[in-house]
Amino acid sequence: MSNICGVKFKDFGKIYYFRNDEFELKKDLTVVVDTEKGEQYAKVVETNITGIKNLDMDSMKTVLRISTKEDYNKYMKNLKEATEALAYAKKIAEEMNLDMRLLDASFTLDKKQLTFNFIADSRIDFRDLVKDIAAKYKTRIELHQMGVRDKSKEIGGIGQCGRELCCSKFLNGIDTISINMAKNQNIALNPSKINGACGRLLCCLSYEDEVYTEHRQDLPKMGEVIKTKDGEGKVVSLDVLNKKYTILIDGDKKEYEI
């Protein structure tokens, strides 16, 4: 009976899911998995998952084996060579006057692909750079342009809350964050308050947005004139989480609860 395991290729990276047909896996065990890029060395972070929504077991890639000492030695050698490849790519990119910042490089375990992550303010024509690197390393080269959120996830840091950035600590994916989430939660639209280290809207704005949306359905709107047992008045404030609202009636403020 197949089950699913979750693995990470980097300590603070995204969790990827693979079908495990035959191995008894434990958390923190290292394995070799089959990917579209080639064989990859990974660490198990979740085991014995019986099913995940929207994942097709039939098309899912598999765990090939529990890693061996030979796999580990190859992985460590690849890390060293990837560091050298990054230095070489930076040198060539500078010589070509490419306005890009290369962040890291990684080989697949079988060295079928060498991947570089970079950031840039605009689209970059890096075809000549790829040709040069491919000629030297004799493998397939992929350059992946990262967004500012991806950069924060990769580098890490401390948020304005004083804790490690959510994206680098535990978030597997980054959902769409909108300014309406801040408005929905009555948060002042001050960039220094609602923007994270990456300069984009805080990921945590999404954590309670569903609850705020649900509670608001039962509450009157700000500025709405409604009738109460104490008379007719205008809604002047809302306490969304506690489902309370304040109405101004004949110059006096009265608080009500749903």
Side-chain angles (χ1 to χ4, degrees):
M1 176 73 179
S2 297
N3 58 50
I4 302 171
C5 69
V7 306
K8 284 187 176 183
F9 302 120
K10 298 179 181 178
D11 287 341
F12 298 115
K14 179 182 177 181
I15 296 178
Y16 293 88
Y17 295 98
F18 292 84
R19 196 175 75 242
N20 173 34
D21 293 332
E22 54 183 300
F23 306 106
E24 186 176 342
L25 301 181
K26 296 180 180 179
K27 190 175 180 181
D28 294 330
L29 190 70
T30 53
V31 295
V32 177
V33 296
D34 178 30
T35 75
E36 293 180 354
K37 298 178 180 179
E39 293 183 1
Q40 294 269 54
Y41 187 88
K43 180 186 287 188
V44 176
V45 293
E46 297 179 13
T47 61
N48 299 320
I49 304 169
T50 55
I52 297 180
K53 188 178 181 181
N54 298 327
L55 285 183
D56 181 8
M57 287 285 289
D58 294 330
S59 62
M60 189 180 296
K61 296 287 188 177
T62 61
V63 175
L64 296 176
R65 61 183 178 273
I66 296 173
S67 67
T68 63
K69 185 176 181 179
E70 182 181 354
D71 290 324
Y72 175 75
N73 290 338
K74 188 183 294 185
Y75 170 70
M76 295 304 294
K77 181 182 178 183
N78 287 351
L79 287 180
K80 181 181 178 181
E81 293 187 5
T83 301
E84 295 170 354
L86 178 62
Y88 176 78
K90 285 181 176 180
K91 176 176 175 292
I92 300 303
E94 186 175 349
E95 291 175 357
M96 293 181 175
N97 293 317
L98 296 177
D99 188 15
M100 62 193 297
R101 182 184 171 195
L102 290 155
L103 297 177
D104 61 26
S106 60
F107 280 103
T108 55
L109 188 65
D110 52 17
K111 300 191 79 171
K112 288 184 177 179
Q113 181 166 308
L114 172 57
T115 302
F116 295 88
N117 289 317
F118 74 94
I119 55 175
D121 293 331
S122 59
R123 292 183 64 86
I124 302 292
D125 184 355
F126 46 70
R127 287 174 293 183
D128 289 338
L129 176 63
V130 169
K131 289 177 183 178
D132 195 304
I133 300 172
K136 180 176 177 62
Y137 289 99
K138 311 300 181 184
T139 189
R140 195 171 88 186
I141 306 298
E142 179 180 293
L143 268 74
H144 174 236
Q145 185 168 356
M146 302 174 69
V148 289
R149 289 187 185 275
D150 296 317
K151 178 186 174 184
S152 292
K153 181 179 181 67
E154 188 77 17
I155 296 174
I158 303 298
Q160 56 180 262
C161 59
R163 302 174 69 90
E164 288 186 58
L165 298 179
C166 297
C167 58
S168 64
K169 184 66 176 177
F170 64 87
L171 289 179
N172 293 327
I174 300 175
D175 296 326
T176 300
I177 313 296
S178 72
I179 194 68
N180 287 331
M181 291 179 176
K183 294 177 179 178
N184 194 31
Q185 297 169 53
N186 290 332
I187 300 174
L189 303 183
N190 183 337
S192 65
K193 299 293 184 183
I194 62 175
N195 287 347
C198 61
R200 297 290 192 267
L201 292 170
L202 290 163
C203 292
C204 57
L205 289 175
S206 66
Y207 297 169
E208 298 178 351
D209 187 63
E210 186 177 345
V211 175
Y212 273 89
T213 299
E214 181 182 335
H215 284 200
R216 278 188 179 276
Q217 294 176 355
D218 299 324
L219 291 167
K221 295 180 180 180
M222 279 289 294
E224 184 179 352
V225 176
I226 61 175
K227 293 181 179 180
T228 71
K229 61 181 180 180
D230 301 308
E232 189 175 86
K234 182 179 181 180
V235 178
V236 292
S237 71
L238 297 174
D239 182 350
V240 180
L241 284 183
N242 292 311
K243 289 190 173 183
K244 294 180 180 179
Y245 58 97
T246 301
I247 295 181
L248 185 65
I249 302 175
D250 297 330
D252 294 327
K253 291 183 179 179
K254 295 185 180 292
E255 187 177 77
Y256 299 88
E257 187 174 354
I258 297 296

